[in-house]
Amino acid sequence: TRTSVSVSKRGLTLAIIAVELVVLYMVLRNSSWAFDDNFSLAMGKATGLTWHWLTEPVFQHWGIGYQFVYGVIAKLMPIDFRWALVAMLLLLGGSMYLLQRIVSLILGFGWAAVACAAYIGFSVFFTRNLLWLASGLHALPGTFFDLLCLYGYTRFQLERSWRWGTVTVLALVGGLLFYEKPAYMLIYLGLVRLLFFSGELRPRTVLAGFWRERLLWGAMLVVVVFWAIGFHLSGAGAGLSTGGVSLSQYAQFFRIMWVNTVVPGLVGLIEPASGLSTTQLAIVVLPEVAFVAAIVISCRRKPSAWRAWLFLAI
């Protein structure tokens, strides 16, 4: 039956998650505190678990949840890094499961959604985060809460239940407690609403759809505004702007991040920013060609696929 197939895919996803997390733990269990882990631990120990410490910006970042974790660690001083690795792996596992559910609900994929979940567990993009708690506390809670926010909004769209609207807003709050990037969820959810849940793209139809959800969007906007005020008052981000950026510098940035990093990174490759050898250049070009071919083939098979590719590009 359809229900039994759905359960089998969910069960397979959970089994894959369990296996991958165990493998990652076995490989990474000898990691330790590094870089600004030690700085944050020392600061947390000296300041104590106080409101001043919780709202203090560190390296231009402002995250009450981030500071709370280091404050607790500094107070209890559990020297063994493995418990931190387990906590980060659980967040990664939760993100894998949420991704499988989101891809299945939005795009209607079945086994491909399971493959997406399996892929991100062993993705090279999370390796550094799992080796370094300070990096992991920015990336992994943010990733989990971003996906939970998207999952909540997807369920809200499908069921029109304000229970899922509440999950969406609370997930946004959770993400902003650790990092700045979840503020972009307003843009991402707007694109999801526009490209995946709007049959017609006529301005009047699109605006009417957003207006019907004005309470949810208003609640999320209030969360982001209050966070932005706190971010500004804390002094976080000061000194990051040091002049203009030329068009050629933007082009170089996107070349490095997209051509040399994102697409090769999708197949587990990391290439230098410049000075590539002929072999390295070929390794970079081949995934790009495959990526373009995937776009062309998918759009020929299903014309509406352009919406998903546009979402990814933005």
Side-chain angles (χ1 to χ4, degrees), residues 156 159-167 212-217:
F156 172 80
E159 300 177 19
R160 290 297 168 183
S161 169
W162 283 103
R163 176 184 64 178
W164 289 109
T166 302
V167 169
R212 286 193 298 270
E213 302 168 7
R214 59 189 179 277
L215 292 179
L216 177 59
W217 290 100

Side-chain angles (χ1 to χ4, degrees), residues 35-109:
F35 307 113
D36 42 345
D37 286 339
N38 300 306
F39 171 81
S40 294
L41 286 171
M43 288 293 294
K45 189 69 174 178
T47 310
L49 197 57
T50 61
W51 181 248
H52 173 73
W53 165 247
L54 293 178
T55 57
E56 181 76 10
V58 175
F59 298 127
Q60 287 83 39
H61 295 295
W62 184 66
I64 294 176
Y66 178 94
Q67 301 292 85
F68 177 79
V69 171
Y70 272 111
V72 171
I73 297 174
K75 188 175 183 64
L76 302 178
M77 287 306 290
I79 301 302
D80 196 330
F81 181 81
R82 289 176 295 184
W83 73 265
L85 176 60
V86 169
M88 290 189 288
L89 287 173
L90 289 175
L91 285 170
L92 178 59
S95 300
M96 294 168 66
Y97 179 77
L98 287 171
L99 181 64
Q100 186 269 333
R101 299 299 301 137
I102 291 166
V103 172
S104 179
L105 290 172
I106 293 182
L107 301 180
F109 294 166

